[in-house]
Amino acid sequence: MKVAFFDTKPYDIPGFDHFAAGTDLEIKYFETKLNEDTVSLAAGFDAVCVFVNDTVNARVVEKLYEGGVRVIALRCAGFNNVDTRACFGKIHVYRVPAYSPYAVAEHAMALLLTLNRKIHKAYNRTREFNFSLAGLSGFDLHGKTVGVIGTGKIGRIFADICRGFGMNILAYDKFPAANSGLNYVTLEELLAKADIISLHCPLTEETYHMINDDTVEQMKPGAVIINTSRGALIDTESLINGLRTQIIGGAGLDVYEEEGDLFYEDQSTHIVHDDNLVRLISMPNVIVTSHQAFLTQEALNNIAQTTVDNLVRFSKDQGNQDTEVCYRCERQDACRKQRHEKCF
Ligand code: NAI
């Protein structure tokens, strides 16, 4: 099985080469992202392996199909960048549902701790032997209320970590988890009461810009927002306004809605033309990381192992129901997997 691997980074190759050794996979690594301009590279391949910022829209799907591709293996959990409706009946889509929820939840807490205790500023100061403490005060997390939006694998681990800090946890989820012991409230109540809000739900039509002018206005003044999920959960303009008017006390962002052409690349010698991102990065109470929450050794190994397994099982005509996704997955009543049937 010939696999075209897009958006390759140096840290991808060792794990994939290791797990693909001895299988029938023949992987060709392309540095470029998959999009309408590059899709012709996939002609003649059986499969493509893609990541979060590859563009797999209807036109790309059509060209992939024409070129002989029958499987898309996402090496990530989210699949909002794939037009699964366009794929249905033609190209099977697999993902890695969980590779290390700990990695992402721990990064969310790292962002919160750094932002609150101003570790990034202290680090820069002490490197220049500036031992002043002016402007570095934070607040105790103990006793504060954290609102966790999306209580799947990552959200629940984040809630556990917060519990360890002695924080009160409020949860909001469209499908609350039974017997989780979490205190579920409405989104309105969470926004009104949380000192910290952490986003852990997927990006769907419904969750697109869930943090917007309206929801920012409902927040407790000074609330800190952490987003390790997907950038477009937040309307960036609303976030900037909220920070400017100090309704929002700080933001820790691992994802950004226009990250596609910027993140994962060294932009340090370029002028960045995205004024919203430049504005955010210039703010003293904002930390941006470059979609790195997943980046632990354990997660990289799990990603490579599961992705190779998805491809090998597909090539042996077995498929893997647990990791296949289609457009019906977002509607639990219509999802065939719930009835132990194949997506198609
Ligand atoms: P999951 O599928 O286990 O949990 C998602 C939760 O969100 C579920 O409980 C679901 O019911 C809930 N949800 C769905 N629609 C909702 C809505 N409209 N409102 C509120 N809640 C809703 O997913 P998991 O593994 O916890 O991952 C969460 C997200 O984290 C992924 O969708 C992905 O976007 C992001 N992620 C980010 C990474 C990074 O490196 N920054 C790495 C891995 C995942």
Side-chain angles (χ1 to χ4, degrees):
M1 177 183 237
K2 289 175 71 183
V3 184
F5 194 105
F6 284 89
D7 200 11
T8 310
K9 295 288 178 288
Y11 51 77
D12 290 319
I13 298 174
F16 275 84
D17 279 353
H18 171 76
F19 288 106
T23 70
D24 72 339
L25 301 187
E26 196 185 303
I27 303 179
K28 177 140 173 87
Y29 295 101
F30 293 104
E31 276 186 28
T32 181
K33 291 187 179 61
L34 177 62
N35 54 42
E36 289 176 39
D37 297 328
T38 61
V39 63
S40 56
L41 291 169
F45 285 84
D46 306 294
V48 291
C49 181
V50 299
F51 196 49
V52 291
N53 290 322
D54 291 293
T55 306
V56 198
N57 60 23
R59 279 189 294 275
V60 170
V61 170
E62 204 47 52
K63 292 266 184 262
L64 288 174
Y65 188 67
E66 277 168 26
V69 169
R70 294 295 176 266
V71 55
I72 295 169
L74 284 147
R75 52 183 192 280
C76 52
F79 52 98
N80 52 283
N81 55 331
V82 178
D83 188 331
T84 46
R85 190 177 279 271
C87 292
F88 195 76
K90 292 178 175 164
I91 300 183
H92 292 267
V93 181
Y94 294 91
R95 65 173 183 143
V96 184
Y99 33 91
S100 175
Y102 303 101
V104 183
E106 288 170 13
H107 191 77
M109 182 47 89
L111 284 173
L112 175 57
L113 286 171
T114 307
L115 197 58
N116 177 31
R117 304 306 302 270
K118 318 218 169 21
I119 305 296
H120 53 309
K121 289 176 191 287
Y123 173 78
N124 283 333
R125 282 191 194 179
T126 55
R127 281 172 63 83
E128 292 190 352
F129 303 98
N130 173 355
F131 300 115
S132 155
L133 298 184
L136 296 187
S137 59
F139 54 83
D140 284 9
L141 292 181
H142 185 270
K144 294 294 181 301
T145 298
V146 60
V148 181
I149 299 183
T151 56
K153 292 175 283 299
I154 296 170
R156 267 188 275 174
I157 291 166
F158 182 73
D160 284 346
I161 294 172
C162 291
R163 205 172 285 119
F165 275 77
M167 302 171 82
N168 307 314
I169 294 138
L170 297 179
Y172 170 72
D173 197 298
K174 197 177 169 198
F175 309 103
N179 308 321
S180 63
L182 287 167
N183 179 13
Y184 284 101
V185 295
T186 60
L187 183 59
E188 291 71 26
E189 185 175 346
L190 183 149
L191 293 170
K193 291 189 175 162
D195 301 293
I196 296 123
I197 296 167
S198 195
L199 304 178
H200 299 288
C201 58
L203 176 61
T204 62
E205 278 176 21
E206 207 174 342
T207 60
Y208 177 78
H209 283 185
M210 75 186 307
I211 302 299
N212 53 42
D213 286 345
D214 273 357
T215 45
V216 167
E217 222 163 84
Q218 294 173 53
M219 285 180 195
K220 184 169 175 180
V224 171
I225 184 147
I226 305 292
N227 188 6
T228 55
S229 203
R230 284 293 181 267
L233 294 176
I234 298 181
D235 179 343
T236 308
E237 303 273 353
S238 307
L239 174 67
I240 291 173
N241 281 335
L243 286 159
R244 215 176 359 221
T245 54
Q246 297 178 5
I247 294 180
I248 299 178
L253 309 172
D254 186 51
V255 286
Y256 169 63
E257 60 177 328
E258 301 297 336
E259 72 182 46
D261 291 331
L262 294 165
F263 281 18
Y264 297 123
E265 307 297 337
D266 180 0
Q267 311 282 354
S268 61
T269 57
H270 302 61
I271 304 291
V272 171
H273 292 288
D274 186 322
D275 290 347
N276 279 343
L277 182 62
V278 172
R279 181 91 175 93
L280 284 170
I281 288 176
S282 76
M283 291 184 175
N285 50 350
V286 174
I287 294 184
V288 175
T289 54
S290 178
H291 205 142
Q292 70 171 73
F294 73 99
L295 198 64
T296 66
Q297 201 49 58
E298 291 80 358
L300 288 173
N301 284 343
N302 290 340
I303 288 170
Q305 190 168 19
T306 306
T307 307
V308 166
D309 185 58
N310 284 338
L311 288 164
V312 168
R313 287 177 68 163
F314 180 84
S315 79
K316 291 183 177 156
D317 217 14
Q318 293 167 342
N320 183 355
Q321 247 188 7
D322 294 340
T323 57
E324 182 160 6
V325 283
C326 77
Y327 77 95
R328 293 166 187 262
C329 292
E330 280 167 25
R331 287 186 36 214
Q332 295 208 336
D333 53 333
C335 177
R336 290 183 182 171
K337 288 199 302 187
Q338 309 284 330
R339 303 194 297 268
H340 304 288
E341 292 169 11
K342 286 183 167 185
C343 290
F344 66 88

